[in-house]
């Protein structure tokens, strides 16, 4: 289960809703002290630590078993989709903060421009990097030797671009086989494997014992994960 919030641009209904929200008048807390030096800040930090409150908060946390069916979904920011209300939210949130500090607020279109930075990105660094990558792709297509490829370093703030030959990564060995970060192992057994079968295949054919397995930024398996989760992952197909 997840939480879905339906967006709205109806100013009248939003105003009616906001009017029903109770707002307590601000009253300075006499107990709050403001440090005027680093030494005072250290002492105040010790005083602010309420261990009993930490214990209370820990007890208020829900039982982990009640969250087993919960799945968090990643939302990718997309400034050009008017149906996702991303720019609406950013505009409202940033303008609330701006109003609180009495600094200029931004319109919906200004927020979109600031968030995307389309023009400066397209005409400067993005275009430059894309061109440099394109040059290297030509070399790949033409099957140029390794020494033809270049690493590029640039700084657009003062027009600096330089190139160098890429250094080979450090090499290591497994079972008398030399390897480095440029090497890959292609596995195609003609059938879809579970994670457990994949790990067994690597151990039987290459003598490799898998301690950790990741895909992109996702950690699929590691030797120190809980037994229940590890068993669940090992039984899953690799495509899952």
């Amino acid at each position: 289960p997840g939480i879905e919030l339906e967006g709205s641009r109806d100013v009248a209904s939003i105003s009616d809703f906001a009017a029903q929200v109770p707002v307590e008048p601000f009253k300075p807390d006499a107990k709050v002290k403001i440090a005027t030096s680093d030494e005072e800040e250290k002492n105040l930090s010790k005083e602010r630590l309420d261990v009993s409150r930490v214990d209370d908060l820990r007890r208020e946390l829900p039982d982990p078993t009640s969250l087993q069916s919960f799945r968090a979904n990643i939302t990718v920011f997309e400034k050009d989709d008017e149906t996702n209300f991303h720019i609406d939210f950013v505009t409202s949130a940033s303008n609330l903060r701006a109003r609180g500090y009495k600094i200029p607020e931004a319109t919906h279109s200004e927020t979109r421009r600031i968030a995307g930075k389309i023009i400066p990105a397209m005409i400067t660094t993005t275009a430059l990097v894309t061109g440099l990558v394109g040059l290297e792709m030509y070399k790949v297509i033409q099957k140029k030797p390794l020494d033809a490829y270049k690493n590029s370093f640039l700084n657009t703030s003062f027009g600096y671009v330089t190139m160098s030959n890429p250094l080979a990564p450090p090499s290591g060995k497994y079972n008398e086989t030399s390897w480095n970060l440029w090497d890959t192992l292609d596995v195609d057994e003609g059938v879809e494997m579970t994670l457990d079968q994949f790990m067994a295949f690597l151990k039987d054919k290459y003598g490799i014992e898998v301690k950790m397995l990741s895909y992109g930024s996702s950690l699929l398996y590691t030797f120190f994960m809980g037994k229940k989760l590890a068993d669940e992952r090992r039984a899953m197909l690799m495509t899952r």
Side-chain angles (χ1 to χ4, degrees):
I3 299 175
E4 296 290 340
L5 299 179
E6 187 174 336
S8 173
R9 296 188 179 90
D10 187 340
V11 177
S13 62
I14 295 173
S15 298
D16 291 340
F17 176 82
Q20 299 174 27
V21 178
V23 180
E24 297 291 336
F26 174 72
K27 294 180 180 179
D29 191 341
K31 298 179 182 179
V32 175
K33 300 177 182 178
I34 300 177
T36 57
S37 67
D38 292 341
E39 189 63 32
E40 286 186 16
E41 179 60 33
K42 290 180 182 179
N43 295 332
L44 287 176
S45 297
K46 296 177 182 178
E47 295 177 9
R48 291 176 189 143
L49 181 59
D50 187 349
V51 178
S52 62
R53 179 55 180 154
V54 174
D55 292 335
D56 291 339
L57 289 172
R58 187 181 294 115
R59 284 191 290 270
E60 292 173 13
L61 291 173
D63 190 302
T65 58
S66 67
L67 302 174
Q68 288 181 345
S69 61
F70 180 82
R71 292 293 182 271
N73 297 318
I74 298 175
T75 298
V76 179
F77 177 72
E78 175 50 63
K79 64 179 180 56
D80 294 319
D81 184 355
E82 291 293 339
T83 64
N84 61 22
F85 294 89
H86 289 179
I87 291 296
D88 298 84
F89 173 79
V90 173
T91 303
S92 299
S94 60
N95 282 345
L96 283 173
R97 186 173 180 83
R99 189 168 301 179
Y101 286 91
K102 294 182 172 58
I103 60 179
E105 300 177 21
T107 65
H108 189 277
S109 58
E110 288 173 336
T111 301
R112 188 193 303 278
R113 177 180 59 80
I114 294 169
K117 297 183 178 178
I118 296 302
I119 295 176
M122 287 298 293
I123 65 175
T124 53
T125 310
T126 302
L128 182 54
V129 170
T130 302
L132 291 170
V133 171
L135 291 175
E136 299 305 306
M137 286 302 299
Y138 281 127
K139 300 173 187 177
V140 174
I141 296 170
Q142 296 171 356
K143 302 185 185 307
K144 293 289 185 179
L146 185 61
D147 58 7
Y149 295 88
K150 301 293 182 182
N151 280 338
S152 296
F153 305 89
L154 59 98
N155 188 323
T156 55
S157 63
F158 51 89
Y160 174 80
V161 180
T162 187
M163 295 181 177
S164 67
N165 291 328
L167 297 175
S171 295
K173 277 191 174 183
Y174 68 90
N175 299 331
E176 302 306 317
T177 300
S178 179
W179 67 275
N180 60 45
L181 293 178
W182 290 348
D183 293 322
T184 61
L185 284 176
D186 296 326
V187 177
D188 185 2
E189 293 298 288
V191 294
E192 192 170 6
M193 296 182 178
T194 64
L195 174 58
D196 196 52
Q197 291 170 333
F198 176 72
M199 292 168 62
F201 171 82
L202 292 179
K203 187 170 185 178
D204 294 341
K205 186 168 183 177
Y206 298 102
I208 300 173
E209 184 175 355
V210 177
K211 295 290 187 180
M212 186 177 295
L213 185 67
S214 63
Y215 178 76
S217 60
S218 301
L219 185 62
L220 305 180
Y221 172 81
T222 178
F223 68 94
F224 56 75
M225 66 174 33
K227 184 179 184 305
K228 182 178 179 181
L229 180 58
D231 291 343
E232 179 184 323
R233 293 284 176 87
R234 293 175 74 115
M236 295 174 68
L237 293 172
M238 293 297 293
T239 53
R240 294 283 304 280

